[in-house]
């Protein structure tokens, strides 16, 4: 039973394309997050949602649009992909903002 | 604003030797502190955390970390490492102020621990 799952695991695409990454958690948590890990392994938060409401929106290009259809899902849509978007994207969830964040396995996005 | 500095990017060590991974943070408000571990090609897993109370916190696999407010540090230690401890370790901080800091973890740059036989 995977607690936080992401699809796809790998995503290879051309510049200019639009793509989506999906995240689902079965932990009953009310808060979900998207993180970006760059080639130097630096992790940075992009967005967080609490009960489907956007809480954190870091300085991310507006080509990135999160969408939370319900508490268990947080998807990330990326328009007009650029080379610099290549990274590993991690989804995470927690019950409350001080609780442990549980991370998904990551989606490795490669933009050619 | 808050920041985290992990002072060593790589730490090689022999099996059964002790190890310390250093973490310093900067924040204008009170913080909660975390250590996460990332095994190759996997997501992050929580190793241990400090929220309040005793400044020494322990994990189930023998790691411990001590919150030192005066030195703004949260170093991770293990008295005897195993080959299976080889991984990348991330220190992270979040403020307990709530509001727009809701769940915002700020990570350090990571320390790669390599345990040699």
């Amino acid at each position: 039973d995977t607690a936080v799952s992401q699809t796809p695991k790998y995503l290879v695409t051309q510049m200019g394309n639009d793509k989506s990454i999906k995240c689902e958690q079965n932990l009953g948590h009310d808060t979900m997050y998207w993180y970006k890990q760059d080639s130097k392994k630096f992790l940075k938060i992009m967005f967080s949602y609490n009960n489907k409401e956007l809480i954190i929106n870091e300085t991310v290009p507006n080509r990135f649009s999160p969408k939370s259809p319900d508490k268990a899902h947080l998807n990330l849509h990326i328009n007009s992909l650029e080379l610099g978007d290549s990274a590993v994207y991690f989804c995470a969830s927690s019950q409350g903002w001080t609780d442990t964040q549980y991370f998904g396995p990551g989606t490795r996005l490669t933009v050619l | 604003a808050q920041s985290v500095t992990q002072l060593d990017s790589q730490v090689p060590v022999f099996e059964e030797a002790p190890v310390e991974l250093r973490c310093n943070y900067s924040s204008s408000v009170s913080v909660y502190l975390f250590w996460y571990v990332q095994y190759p090609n996997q997501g992050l897993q929580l190793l241990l955390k400090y929220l309040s109370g005793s400044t020494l916190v322990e994990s189930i696999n023998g790691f411990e970390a001590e919150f030192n407010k005066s030195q703004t540090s949260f170093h991770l230690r293990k008295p005897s490492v195993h080959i299976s401890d080889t991984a990348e370790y991330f220190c992270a901080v979040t403020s307990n102020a709530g509001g727009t800091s809701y769940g915002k973890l700020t990570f350090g740059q990571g320390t790669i621990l390599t345990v040699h036989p």
Side-chain angles (χ1 to χ4, degrees), chain B residues 5-42:
Chain B
T5 302
Q6 291 182 239
L7 297 157
D8 307 292
S9 59
Q10 297 192 52
V11 173
V13 66
F14 286 107
E15 194 172 19
E16 297 184 5
V19 71
E20 178 180 79
L21 307 183
R22 296 179 293 169
C23 171
N24 286 92
Y25 70 91
S26 171
S27 176
S28 57
V29 297
S30 296
V31 296
Y32 297 135
L33 293 153
F34 305 80
W35 275 100
Y36 280 84
V37 58
Q38 185 177 27
Y39 297 101
N41 298 314
Q42 293 186 29

Side-chain angles (χ1 to χ4, degrees), chain A residues 9 31 33 35 37 40-43 45 48 50 55-56 58 90 96-101 103-105, chain B residues 32 34 36 38 41-44 46 49 51 88 90 95-100 102-105 107-108:
Chain A
K9 191 171 174 63
T31 307
Y33 313 81
Y35 288 87
Q37 187 176 46
K40 296 183 179 179
K41 294 292 194 74
F42 184 61
L43 261 168
I45 192 166
S48 81
N50 177 255
I55 301 295
I56 294 174
E58 289 295 283
F90 287 101
W97 56 277
T98 61
D99 198 12
T100 301
Q101 291 186 22
F103 283 76
Chain B
Y32 297 135
F34 305 80
Y36 280 84
Q38 185 177 27
N41 298 314
Q42 293 186 29
L44 280 76
L46 180 73
K49 62 183 177 183
L51 301 182
E88 187 153 13
F90 292 90
S95 90
N96 61 9
T100 56
Y102 200 104
K104 180 180 175 180
L105 275 177
F107 284 87

Side-chain angles (χ1 to χ4, degrees), chain A residues 63-75:
Chain A
R63 299 181 295 103
F64 290 79
S65 53
K67 183 165 278 190
S68 182
D70 55 57
K71 279 174 47 173
H73 296 85
L74 181 62
N75 303 323

Side-chain angles (χ1 to χ4, degrees), chain B residues 24-76:
Chain B
N24 286 92
Y25 70 91
S26 171
S27 176
S28 57
V29 297
S30 296
V31 296
Y32 297 135
L33 293 153
F34 305 80
W35 275 100
Y36 280 84
V37 58
Q38 185 177 27
Y39 297 101
N41 298 314
Q42 293 186 29
L44 280 76
Q45 303 170 35
L46 180 73
L47 195 58
L48 45 76
K49 62 183 177 183
Y50 170 78
L51 301 182
S52 64
S54 172
T55 58
L56 184 66
V57 290
E58 298 176 352
S59 73
I60 57 173
N61 56 354
F63 283 93
E64 64 178 31
E66 185 158 21
F67 170 54
N68 188 319
K69 189 174 181 180
S70 62
Q71 297 188 6
T72 61
S73 68
F74 191 55
H75 301 331
L76 182 69

